């Protein structure tokens, strides 16, 4: 079991240092910033809301792309705002604005300002555990501190949540609208946020929770009361399955086991508007130093960690990727706003730089990788020597937001994108569409299962990092133990299975699963000590195998390449 108090403090310090840099931003082209001010702060709430609605209806650049139904939104929200104003209910006013804004799946839409009263009233309490949706769509307990009432009531990492206040867990409401820090733009991001926020409530609120133990499979129903945790569990949950590192700068690099390089990039916050300015910036120089270090030490395998990258300056991202490209490559077209009919006004390209990193690259992302961070992931994914290796894709929010906020009553402000990023064919890129598809999706999707949740939260293993490392090394977990070895790995159709401690039994069963945990092959095996040749007939991809029999159980990963 992790020392929960220590982990919580480390997470909070790390997250707070990132949050102090601000919310996600994305700077557009040089000298194109719109300085129009929309100040509705002195208006009555209803009139201010009507003005905000008219502003977004006119100026939000993704209305058609995301199929935003503005009349329906107005009809739903306006009566609630009228009621809040009649009752002078600031908390209700804030909540209805959150709901109005965050129904639009766009991580660049944000409600900022004086929202502490809302947090205190609605989400300052914790039920003492966090939840995650798995690949099979079940909802399980992720992190549960040993000192929490939830732990005392019997909840453990990996337990499956079945009901919440007698309602099936998959029928709970849209709690993601309460997530004040981040709006998510994909199905998986919004589901992650929904169950993170389900664990938050008003202090003193009571929830009846039915769960199934991952160990005994027994079902139990418990009653928990939300308590003041100073938002600790929320901050831990925001990192999903990634325990953040302690960093003194936005760029950090190190050398992992097996001589695998590690490069963490937290944001692109330099203010330079020309490539020459970016080349002189401390964060670019730090990345350049990292590549120099890896090259000088013969490090030909690299993990780039973009989890919780909050974005920033597109110019910085485009220039930085020159350290990985050997030819000039397109990054994005940037449009104007509604005022100029979204005309393309600037284009960014990545030009080659030295030193260049030429080794294999695995890139880790998550739904909190947003904006310019997604631009980095996009450019890495286009490289032949790189692949995205993650549980999830990125946030899917890539528009331009360096516009003045809309000022609202009660000390509030609304930020939303007003210009677009387009691909080479002048089609919107990365921003999710009306089906919530978008962002940078993994080339290799790391399984998110009960087992990997337990590994992360009980054993303290960064599952995605270890998976990326093993993928780069083509390591079968059993190879190091020398009990059961499958080779060659990667293989084509033929693979050798060598069991070094086989008993006289010799009867085994081979089961092979794809990345969605679906069994694609099962075979009875008659194995003896030594080599045993098997024909697989599988499509190219990454698979997991299990060999069981003779009181032994071996499992690991194989890669099929024809």
């Amino acid at each position: 079991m992790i020392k929960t108090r220590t982990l919580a403090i480390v997470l909070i310090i790390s997250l707070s240092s990132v949050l102090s840099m601000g919310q996600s931003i994305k700077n557009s082209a040089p000298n194109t910033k719109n300085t129009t001010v929309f100040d509705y702060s002195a208006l009555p709430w209803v009139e201010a809301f009507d003005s905000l609605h008219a502003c977004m209806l006119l100026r939000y650049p993704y209305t058609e792309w995301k199929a935003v139904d503005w009349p329906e939104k107005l009809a739903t929200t306006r009566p609630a705002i009228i009621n809040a104003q009649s009752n002078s209910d600031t908390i209700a006013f804030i909540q209805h604005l959150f709901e109005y804004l965050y129904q639009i799946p766009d991580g660049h839409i944000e409600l900022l300002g004086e929202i502490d009263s809302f947090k205190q009233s609605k989400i300052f309490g914790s039920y003492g555990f966090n939840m995650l949706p798995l690949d099979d769509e079940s909802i399980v307990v992720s992190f549960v501190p040993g000192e929490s009432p939830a732990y005392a009531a019997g909840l453990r990492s990996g337990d499956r949540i079945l009901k919440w206040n007698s309602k099936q867990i998959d029928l709970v409401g849209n709690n993601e609208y309460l997530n004040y820090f981040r709006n998510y733009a994909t199905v998986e991001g919004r589901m992650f946020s929904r169950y993170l926020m389900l664990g938050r409530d008003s202090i003193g609120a009571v929830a009846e929770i039915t769960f199934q133990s991952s160990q005994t499979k027994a079902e139990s129903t418990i009653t928990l009361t939300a308590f003041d945790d100073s938002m600790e569990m929320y901050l831990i949950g925001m990192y999903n399955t990634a325990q953040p590192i302690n960093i003194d700068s936005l760029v950090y690099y190190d050398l992992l086991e097996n001589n695998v390089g590690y490069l963490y990039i937290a944001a692109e916050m330099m203010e330079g508007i020309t490539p020459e300015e970016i080349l002189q910036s401390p964060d670019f120089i730090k990345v350049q130093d990292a590549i120099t270090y890896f090259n000088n030490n013969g490090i030909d395998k690299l993990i780039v960690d973009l989890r919780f990258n909050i974005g920033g300056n597109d110019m910085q991202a485009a220039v930085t990727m020159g350290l990985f490209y050997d030819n000039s490559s397109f990054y994005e077209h940037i449009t104007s706003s509604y005022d100029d009919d979204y005309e393309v006004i600037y284009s960014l390209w990545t030009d080659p730089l030295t030193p260049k990193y030429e080794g294999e690259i695995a890139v880790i992302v998550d739904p909190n990788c947003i904006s310019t961070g997604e631009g980095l992931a996009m450019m890495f994914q286009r490289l032949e020597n790189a692949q995205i290796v993650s549980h999830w894709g990125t946030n899917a929010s890539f528009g331009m937001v360096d516009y003045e906020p809309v000022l609202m009553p009660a000390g509030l402000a609304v930020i939303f994108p007003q210009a677009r990023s387009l691909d080479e064919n002048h089609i919107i890129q990365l921003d999710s569409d009306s089906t919530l598809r978008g962002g940078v999706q993994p080339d290799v999707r790391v399984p998110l299962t009960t087992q990997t949740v337990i590994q992360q939260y009980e054993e303290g293993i960064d599952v995605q990092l270890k998976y990326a490392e093993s993928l780069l090394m083509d390591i079968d977990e059993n190879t190091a133990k020398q009990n059961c070895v499958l080779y060659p790995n990667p293989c084509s159709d033929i693979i050798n299975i060598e069991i070094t401690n086989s008993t006289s039994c010799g009867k085994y069963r081979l089961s092979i699963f794809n990345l969605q945990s679906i069994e694609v092959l099962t075979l009875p095996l008659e194995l003896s000590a030594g080599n045993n040749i098997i024909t697989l007939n599988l499509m190219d991809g990454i698979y997991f195998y299990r060999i069981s029999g003779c009181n032994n159980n071996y499992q690991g990963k194989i890669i099929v390449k024809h």
Side-chain angles (χ1 to χ4, degrees), residues 45-340:
W45 293 354
V46 176
E47 190 174 342
F49 170 74
D50 288 344
S51 299
L52 170 67
H53 177 81
C55 180
M56 294 190 70
L57 173 64
L58 186 67
R59 307 185 72 84
Y60 183 62
Y62 300 115
T63 293
E64 294 78 18
W65 184 253
K66 294 179 181 288
V68 180
D69 188 341
W70 292 108
E72 188 277 335
K73 290 178 65 60
L74 180 65
T76 300
T77 306
R78 195 173 192 275
I81 298 293
I82 292 173
N83 189 56
Q85 178 174 292
S86 297
N87 296 321
S88 299
D89 190 342
T90 303
I91 293 171
F93 178 57
I94 295 172
Q95 179 167 345
H96 295 314
L97 283 179
F98 266 122
E99 292 171 353
Y100 171 83
L101 294 167
Y102 282 26
Q103 285 172 356
I104 304 172
D106 190 332
H108 280 147
I109 295 178
E110 301 177 83
L111 179 63
L112 308 174
E114 298 177 11
I115 61 173
D116 285 348
S117 62
F118 163 78
K119 291 193 293 183
Q120 185 73 39
S121 174
K122 298 294 183 180
I123 60 173
F124 218 66
S126 168
Y127 287 110
F129 69 100
N130 289 333
M131 294 169 276
L132 276 177
L134 302 184
D135 292 340
D136 64 4
E137 300 185 355
S138 63
I139 310 302
V140 302
V141 176
S142 53
F143 182 62
V144 52
E147 65 271 22
S148 78
Y151 190 91
L155 274 181
R156 299 293 184 270
S157 292
D159 288 352
R160 183 175 179 178
I161 303 299
L162 303 176
K163 294 181 179 181
W164 196 276
N165 289 329
S166 300
K167 183 182 292 187
Q168 294 293 328
I169 190 65
D170 58 344
L171 298 178
V172 298
N174 299 324
N175 290 68
E176 61 266 29
Y177 302 154
L178 301 177
N179 193 342
Y180 69 95
F181 174 71
R182 175 70 74 231
N183 189 3
Y184 294 88
T186 63
V187 171
E188 60 189 8
R190 295 178 82 80
M191 293 297 287
F192 157 71
S193 185
R194 173 175 299 183
Y195 292 105
L196 170 64
M197 299 314 295
L198 184 60
R200 311 296 310 177
D201 213 328
S202 306
I203 295 173
V206 175
E208 183 182 82
I209 301 158
T210 301
F211 69 95
Q212 181 184 58
S213 169
S214 64
Q215 298 177 348
T216 67
K217 306 305 177 184
E219 293 186 12
S220 303
T221 298
I222 60 176
T223 300
L224 296 175
T225 301
F227 62 93
D228 184 354
D229 71 336
S230 300
M231 299 298 288
E232 284 189 14
M233 294 296 294
Y234 172 79
L235 297 179
I236 293 169
M238 281 295 293
Y239 271 107
N240 46 76
T241 57
Q243 179 179 343
I245 59 174
N246 286 310
I247 56 174
D248 296 321
S249 67
L250 299 179
V251 177
Y252 169 87
Y253 64 93
D254 201 354
L255 195 59
L256 306 178
E257 296 178 358
N258 300 309
N259 280 333
V260 173
Y262 177 82
L263 174 62
Y264 179 77
I265 304 176
E268 297 72 49
M269 302 296 287
M270 296 298 101
E271 296 183 356
I273 61 173
T274 67
E276 291 73 23
E277 288 176 298
I278 297 299
L279 291 172
Q280 300 301 316
S281 67
D283 290 342
F284 171 82
I285 292 173
K286 192 74 174 286
V287 176
Q288 193 175 43
D289 289 345
I291 302 308
T292 299
Y293 172 80
F294 296 141
N295 287 346
N296 289 346
N297 287 276
I299 306 303
D300 61 356
K301 301 180 188 300
L302 173 65
I303 294 173
V304 178
D305 194 344
L306 299 177
R307 289 173 291 186
F308 225 99
N309 184 301
I310 63 172
N313 186 340
D314 273 329
M315 179 69 75
Q316 183 178 343
V319 171
T320 298
M321 288 307 301
L323 298 168
F324 300 91
Y325 273 73
D326 56 13
N327 60 292
S328 185
S329 300
F330 176 82
Y331 181 87
E332 70 178 339
H333 293 308
I334 298 168
T335 76
S336 61
S337 67
Y338 161 85
D339 298 309
D340 295 303

